[in-house]
Amino acid sequence: MKYFAFILGLFAICTIAIAQENKMLQTEVEEQYFQNENQNPDKSIIYVFFNNEPCPNCPQAIEMIEDVYNQNYLNNYAFYLINYGEDSNSGFIEEYALSNPLEVVMVDIQNGDEIGYQKIEGLQDMTPNPTGFNEYFTTKVDGYLGNE
C-alpha cells in the first residue's frame, strides 16, 4: 500500500512538472512570434492559421494569401504562418477561437496595444477564382486594418 501511494504521488508530481513545462514551452513559442513586433509595436498583424486536418485547397490558398500579402501589405503589417494544430501553438486556438482548417486573423495594433481582431474564413473555398479571392482578401484587410 505504501508503494502504491508513493507511485501515485510520484505520478502526480511528474504530471504537474510536465504541464508546467508545456506551458513554459507554449509561452516561449508565442514570445518568438511576438518578438519581431517589439521592433515596431504599432504594426498590425496578419496571422494565417492552419492545422493538420485534411484540406486539399489549403496549400493553394496559403500560397495565394502570401502572394496578395507580398504585393499589397509587405511593409504595412507583420505576417505569420502558424500551424495551430501543433501542441506548442495551441494557445492561439482559445485566443482567436480557431476551429477551421484555414483561418486568417487580422489583429489591429495601435500604440503597442491589441485593439481587437477580425477573422477571414473560407478562403480555401475561393481558390478556383483567383481574381475574386484577391479582391475578397484585400477588401477584408483594407476594411478592417486600413492600408496603413
Side-chain angles (χ1 to χ4, degrees), residues 29-47 69 74 76-80 82 92 96 107-114:
V29 170
E30 288 178 357
E31 285 177 7
Q32 174 186 344
Y33 287 118
F34 298 120
Q35 192 171 29
N36 290 338
E37 272 68 55
N38 291 336
Q39 296 171 4
N40 186 351
D42 292 328
K43 195 175 242 189
S44 294
I45 305 167
I46 298 175
Y47 287 115
Y69 172 80
L74 185 61
N76 300 7
Y77 310 117
F79 180 87
Y80 295 103
I82 300 173
F92 291 113
Y96 298 117
V107 180
D108 187 10
I109 306 289
Q110 294 180 15
N111 299 322
D113 295 322
E114 181 177 328

Side-chain angles (χ1 to χ4, degrees), residues 22 52 69 75 112 120 129 132 139 147:
N22 286 342
N52 295 328
Y69 172 80
N75 296 318
I120 305 174
N129 179 359
T139 299
N147 198 348

